[in-house]
Amino acid sequence: MTKATTPVLELKSVSRLFEGIRAVDNVSLKLYAGEIVGLIGPNGAGKTTLVNLISGFLSVSSGDVIFDGASITHKKPHVIAQSGIARTFQIVQPFAKMTVLENVMAGAIYAGHRGMVQARDKAIECLEFTKLAHLKDMPASELALANRKRLELAKSLAMNPRVLMLDEVNAGLNSSEIDEAIRMIRSIAATGITIVVIEHLMRVVTALAERTVVLHHGAVASEGPTDEVMRDPKVIEAYLGNKFAQRFAETSGAPVARPA
Amino acid sequence: MISQYIVNGLLTGGLYACLAVGFSLVWGVLNVVNMLHGSMVVLGAYFCLYGVQQLGLPLYAVAPVACVILFVFGYAIQRGLLNRVITQPILITLTLTFGLDLIVNNLIIHVFSATPQSLVTNFGTIEFAGVRVPVVRVGGMLVAVVLTLVLYWLLRHSKIGRAIIAVRMDRHAAALMGIRIPHIYALTFGIGAFMAGAAGCAMALIYPVTPMMSGVFLGKAFVICVLGGLGSVPGAIIGGLVLGVVEGLGTLTLGQQWATSVGFIMMMAVIVLFPTGIMGKKGYE
Amino acid sequence: MIIDRAFALKIAFGVLLFACGAGLSAVLDNYYLQVGTTLAMLCALCWAWNIVGGYMGYPALCMISFFGIGAYAGGIAQAAGVSESLAWLIAAGVGALFALLLGVPLLRLKGHYFAVGTIASVEVLREVANNWEQLTGGAVGLNLPIHAGSPDEVGRFFYLAMLGLAFLAFLITALVDRTKFGFGLRCIRQNEQAASMVGIDVFKYKVGAFVLTGVLGAATGAIYASMVAFLEPKDAFNLIMTIEIPVMVMLGGMGTIFGPLIGGVSYVILKEFVWAYFINWHSGILGLIVVTVIYFLPVGVLGLTWRDIFKKLGASKSTRPATSDIARSTS
């Protein structure tokens, strides 16, 4: 996974205001092909807002989003999806009354630019990858949580994305399900897709991401190789508060930030 | 000249407020567009006419009874029929009330005949600053407005009123607080019917009423409800007065035949231009 | 486009049905031709509504706005001396334009507001038709040139014209059912946010479906206008009909290919029966039918859909492709 010289996705001083509050504050980021980047931060740090801004769900108040050399700053969500940025939702949003296969086909048809028949083939391929193929005729609403998360993943994969943003894709899963998901995400990245992992679970981030960005109060608090970021006092402070950070500094251990 | 039209508009507007408030409450609380509302107004008017003309009872005795009958009718409809489909998509509840409207309207025609009827009342007119208004219209409007205000007070200060508001805001949370949702739904629909009955009684005093007018009444309720905001009692009063005046001025400038269209066009404009409600209330969903 | 055997059979069955209908025109007498024409007209309207109301799931109550606009556009054109067939085309064009103008603001709304906005369009249009006397003849009505020929010939002509239009609506529905466009509409029905996230241009699709419905509705109206040769606002913009059409589709099954046909036919039969035996009670009984449809028949009211019924019958007749069929099928 060598880094290309030009980023696939670049954020230039992106901000978003909600009635005067800066939910995302002057965030600049560069993402390169095939890398897995962790995006962490305490509750309300603006992680999901950032994903919404990139995917066009919210409009950017100021700044620029560059994808593949072209600005997508004020593009509509479907245009951004078609151009190759896929995302999953924290609260999964399947087409409940459609079958699992049809759900994934939807991704393959519109953003994946395929005809109905090719879309079906692609969808089956994605379902096999995410180990859902045996459930393809089941209505999406009847899936258990872990499988619904996988369905989101399969749907996004079918979109032929170049950037895939996974918003809390592991929340609510048990330990073995998480291991499985980590393996899947690694093999997706191996195909050259850039992955942004938005997580609460540090275990997932440390296992996956070479690079991690920490958001706090909407701004980038720390950025760098994951293990270094985890030791950054600013990160510990963001998660655990001022006093904790001082105490850790005093004991001068090498604590790993763990969210409360 | 123009002041006469405005005063007429305000008088009609008071009636409109009473006409629409029940409809608005049902829409806001139950999320049901009650297509039956117009027929309930007509029903109220006919009960009133029947009591006064056929039974020879005094108006002040008949009108409250008519309203109470309608309350019972409304409660029963909601409890027996609507509650069973209340969570279904809009198309279902709307079509269901439309079907009920056809039935009720047909029954009214059969029982009371379709000829226009009105109470012959002459309480004279009053004149103020060059504006002449019949006393009966002022009286009808006052009763309608007072009832609407009483409803507003009850919603804000009575236990049941608070429960209705709570259900409107969040039915799940309200259920967790021990509020019996089906009962509150039925009460709300009953109150809506009660107000429709009151509006019907007031209408019968002022205009000749026919069963065919249910559509007209319903149309007014739609417009006012959208103007004033869903489930909002003050909104219904404001919306009613605005519609009354706008129709009056529409009649003055464009002619009688355009008055209704002006209201509807205004409503469509509001729906499109203020997708979050003209009073900024939640509910456009 | 995915074509499996069940779908091909359905299309073949539909084509056969329409061919039989066309063949019958040679033997039917005038009364039955009229019933058939009404039936074809209602089915065409049901199929048209089914695109927006069934596949896309929007409670559009403006079917009669499209119908009336088409009737008046065609009628006015014909009264001005335009030939019949050209007038029909003009009406379809006007219908498309009107649907576009109405759809762009209204399709931003959801739920009740959309429903109320569409219903209001019927009221406004009727008032406009009533009051714009120079153009529409107002409440007095508008006379059209009468189609030349013997009553039988005329009856047959309009029967075939309506049948042809219904067939067109059927074919369009079949296409919608199986193409990217219709698939997108079904996604929109379930979750618009998720639909835009998979790259569907939600607003364009919604407007597209609305226009398609508008064109078909307006064309139906224009043929109706030529047939009756006289238009009145209260006939052209009939509020009851604007709700009857969705009820018919509900009766048959929303978002299916044959639902509008089944619903339309059974509704017309019921209605004819009611008219024949309970003339004084017809609106009340219609109301009863509506209420019964909602309580005892499909669209999930009691969790029962045509799909379930067909499943119970053991046949894979559901219009939505069972995915096992998709897997087997070829394009």
Side-chain angles (χ1 to χ4, degrees), chain A residues 55 57 77-78 81-82 87 89 93 95-99 101-102 105-106 109-111 116-117 120 137 159, chain C residues 1-2 178 180 183-184 186-187 190-191 193-201 205 320 323-324 326 329 331:
Chain A
S55 58
F57 241 73
H78 67 92
Q82 286 175 7
R87 68 171 290 188
F89 284 89
Q93 302 214 357
F95 301 112
K97 285 180 183 166
M98 287 174 146
T99 63
L101 178 62
E102 286 174 311
M105 274 174 72
I109 292 169
Y110 303 97
M116 298 283 279
V117 178
R120 190 189 55 210
D137 296 333
M159 290 166 64
Chain C
M1 194 170 168
I2 293 177
R178 285 306 158 115
K180 195 173 157 174
F183 195 93
R186 282 174 49 209
C187 292
Q190 310 212 6
N191 188 334
Q193 181 167 306
S196 73
M197 274 295 116
V198 293
I200 298 172
D201 189 342
Y205 269 54
R320 208 184 50 159
T323 24
S324 53
I326 293 185
S329 63
S331 70

Side-chain angles (χ1 to χ4, degrees), chain B residues 99-110:
Chain B
L100 292 173
D101 178 66
L102 287 178
I103 297 171
V104 171
N105 210 269
N106 203 181
L107 282 173
I108 297 176
I109 293 175
H110 262 265

